[in-house]
Amino acid sequence: MRTLLIIAGILLAAAGQAAQPTWSWLGGVRLELLPAIVAYAALSARRPAHVVGWGAVAGLAQDSLSAAPFGMTMATFGVAALGLWALRDWLDRGLPWVQLVAGAAVSLAAGGVAVWVVGVTPVALVKLVWIAALNAALTVVVFFLVDLARLQLGMEAE
Amino acid sequence: MAGQKTRYVLKHKDWVIIGLVALGWVMFLGQPTAVSARLRGALARLTSPLVKLGDWFPTVRSRRELAAENRNLRTEIEALRQRERTAREMARENQRLERLLEMKGRIPHSTIAARVIGRDASNWWKSIQIDRGLQDGVRENMAVVNADGLVGKTVAVTRGEARVLLLLDPDCKVSALLEESREPGVVQGVTAQARCEMLYVNRAATVKPGEVVLTSGLGGIFPRGLPVGAVLEAGLDAQSGMYQRIALEPAVDFHRLEEVLVIVRSQ
């Protein structure tokens, strides 16, 4: 049941990304929910297989709704999530700055590879940093909302 | 004497009151409009609270009925407004489809009309998703247009939908030419930006701002003569110095894509 809920959440987040226009007031980018979800999974799950699994599902969901090379985001999300998971003992997931850094790290990892593929230009690098900053902020919101939902539903941490 | 006058007045007090009222009425009628309006306002303020007392009288039932009728009318108005919004949206859609049909008439190939159902989930690629796929005859590398001009080409096609790589994406390269000077070049998107440019244009060519850029028909994907954009500014390519690099204003507003045509001929 929990697995189905998580997959449904990931698919909804991916669909939300694809349904969004690019927001001119955000500098012509769209908000990405999936890096925040991957960061959440990385700092919340106990088993590395789960972390990589959720990262892969999120990456595949994004790739399937994008013109990106299929599987590229799956790999970057998975690796970034595993890296964060490896550091979880030194990180207090309840601290907002940890959540910020985790969201930014996942976003930078996925975006960095994307920039490398589409071509490194000064504008692309500025955009990369800006998107990472937005995703970092969004990650804090996602942590708060998902923790709250889990508390309400009585779902224990993995 | 005074006592006699008082007694006379008291004896005929009704007539005195009537006379005073009549006099007041005549005076009131003779007042300038502003003053009479002020008087009317003052009186209305005095009497309005009394009007509300009417709620306590038998008419209270009809007021309730009025309130209910009011509620019903408001609901009806909201429903009509909703219907009006839908009608307006349909009229707009009709206009767009009419323009799309005009474009369809200008293209000497068979086309498939499709609706845009999604955008790119990533911030790094420029693509859209349409609701036509293999079962409708859509295949990879088919040109996609709307009423204004070239939108892009299909890149990934599944049974019921297809992904269209937009002209704004650096991976979407289009062989094009300047309408007046007939100088050829290649149009492609600019990395990480929502604009496109024309590359490899002869450095000796005269390029005028506003000049229209059309597809050249070379390459086999995009038919000849589709509007691509207009020249914003031209300059020498800084990297090679051998060609001109032209910034383009795309013919299509990529933020407002709703219906498109997939051109089938090129397979």
Side-chain angles (χ1 to χ4, degrees):
Chain A
M1 184 63 188
R2 179 196 299 225
T3 307
L4 284 177
L5 273 176
I6 295 172
I7 290 174
I10 288 172
L11 294 180
L12 269 177
Q17 279 181 210
Q20 271 180 76
T22 50
W23 305 107
S24 54
W25 54 276
L26 282 178
V29 299
R30 55 175 63 88
L31 288 170
E32 293 177 351
L33 281 166
L34 289 172
I37 291 174
V38 171
Y40 184 90
L43 293 182
S44 306
R46 289 200 189 113
R47 296 169 59 184
H50 288 181
V51 174
V52 175
W54 299 137
V57 171
L60 278 178
Q62 175 159 320
D63 285 345
S64 67
L65 296 172
S66 167
F70 197 67
M72 190 193 80
T73 317
M74 181 191 86
T76 50
F77 275 178
V79 171
L82 197 62
L84 275 177
W85 179 85
L87 296 170
R88 76 194 185 289
D89 288 340
W90 291 277
L91 300 171
D92 180 356
R93 69 180 291 288
L95 293 173
W97 72 264
V98 171
Q99 299 164 3
L100 279 169
V101 170
V106 176
S107 178
L108 280 172
V113 174
V115 168
W116 178 63
V117 172
V118 297
V120 183
T121 63
V123 176
L125 292 175
V126 171
K127 190 175 172 182
L128 175 69
V129 173
W130 173 236
I131 291 171
L134 287 174
N135 286 344
L138 201 60
T139 305
V140 179
V141 179
V142 166
F143 263 78
F144 173 75
L145 290 177
V146 180
D147 279 345
L148 190 72
R150 284 172 66 169
L151 204 67
Q152 295 292 325
L153 295 171
M155 286 169 74
E156 289 175 15
E158 249 183 81
Chain B
M1 188 67 182
Q4 267 185 347
K5 271 187 186 171
T6 310
R7 271 198 301 276
Y8 180 83
V9 167
L10 286 174
K11 195 176 173 184
H12 298 92
K13 63 178 179 189
D14 290 349
W15 292 107
V16 171
I17 289 168
I18 289 169
L20 283 173
V21 169
L23 185 67
W25 184 46
V26 169
M27 282 173 69
F28 181 69
L29 279 179
Q31 291 299 318
T33 317
V35 176
S36 58
R38 209 173 296 164
L39 277 170
R40 186 193 298 267
L43 282 171
R45 271 200 298 278
L46 281 173
T47 52
S48 291
L50 300 175
V51 173
K52 288 177 184 167
L53 289 175
D55 285 353
W56 300 98
F57 289 94
T59 52
V60 69
R61 195 168 161 228
S62 72
R63 282 182 67 83
R64 276 186 191 154
E65 281 170 2
L66 281 175
E69 191 181 354
N70 198 1
R71 269 198 303 277
N72 290 341
L73 287 172
R74 279 173 195 275
T75 314
E76 203 172 317
I77 285 172
E78 196 42 55
L80 287 172
R81 277 192 187 144
Q82 182 60 41
R83 222 187 285 174
E84 192 206 351
R85 277 194 287 268
T86 312
R88 240 185 296 158
E89 183 56 33
M90 282 173 77
R92 273 198 287 262
E93 190 180 8
N94 264 348
Q95 279 178 345
R96 287 198 308 269
L97 292 175
E98 263 175 35
R99 293 188 59 219
L100 206 59
L101 275 176
E102 279 173 29
M103 178 58 128
K104 190 181 165 87
R106 290 202 299 269
I107 300 170
H109 307 285
S110 59
T111 55
I112 299 165
R115 201 175 284 274
V116 178
I117 54 170
R119 299 178 176 87
D120 199 299
S122 160
N123 273 304
W124 301 101
W125 281 267
K126 307 279 187 291
S127 70
I128 54 169
Q129 197 176 8
I130 57 173
D131 66 348
R132 300 282 176 214
L134 291 169
Q135 65 185 8
D136 306 290
V138 178
R139 300 288 181 271
E140 280 187 20
N141 284 325
M142 284 182 166
V144 178
V145 297
N146 78 349
D148 298 318
L150 185 65
V151 171
K153 64 174 181 179
T154 53
V155 283
V157 187
T158 60
R159 195 165 169 271
E161 60 200 8
R163 186 152 292 279
V164 178
L165 194 65
L166 300 179
L167 186 63
L168 300 176
D169 195 285
D171 283 342
C172 187
K173 295 178 174 66
V174 182
S175 175
L177 50 83
L178 290 155
E179 188 179 35
E180 288 172 38
S181 62
R182 312 308 288 178
E183 288 291 342
V186 174
V187 174
Q188 68 177 68
V190 180
T191 302
Q193 295 177 52
R195 63 188 185 88
C196 56
E197 57 189 11
M198 190 171 178
L199 308 173
Y200 312 118
V201 178
N202 185 352
R203 59 179 288 168
T206 310
V207 183
K208 297 177 206 156
E211 188 172 354
V212 173
V213 176
L214 302 168
T215 51
S216 69
L218 298 176
I221 294 177
F222 305 101
R224 187 184 180 86
L226 296 173
V228 175
V231 173
L232 282 175
E233 59 179 1
L236 213 57
D237 187 281
Q239 284 176 331
S240 67
M242 295 170 68
Y243 303 101
Q244 288 193 67
R245 181 183 282 254
I246 302 171
L248 296 183
E249 173 76 43
V252 171
D253 183 354
F254 290 96
H255 292 287
R256 291 186 176 76
L257 282 175
E258 290 178 73
E259 295 92 12
V260 293
L261 291 174
V262 182
I263 300 176
V264 185
R265 71 112 200 188
S266 38
Q267 295 304 299

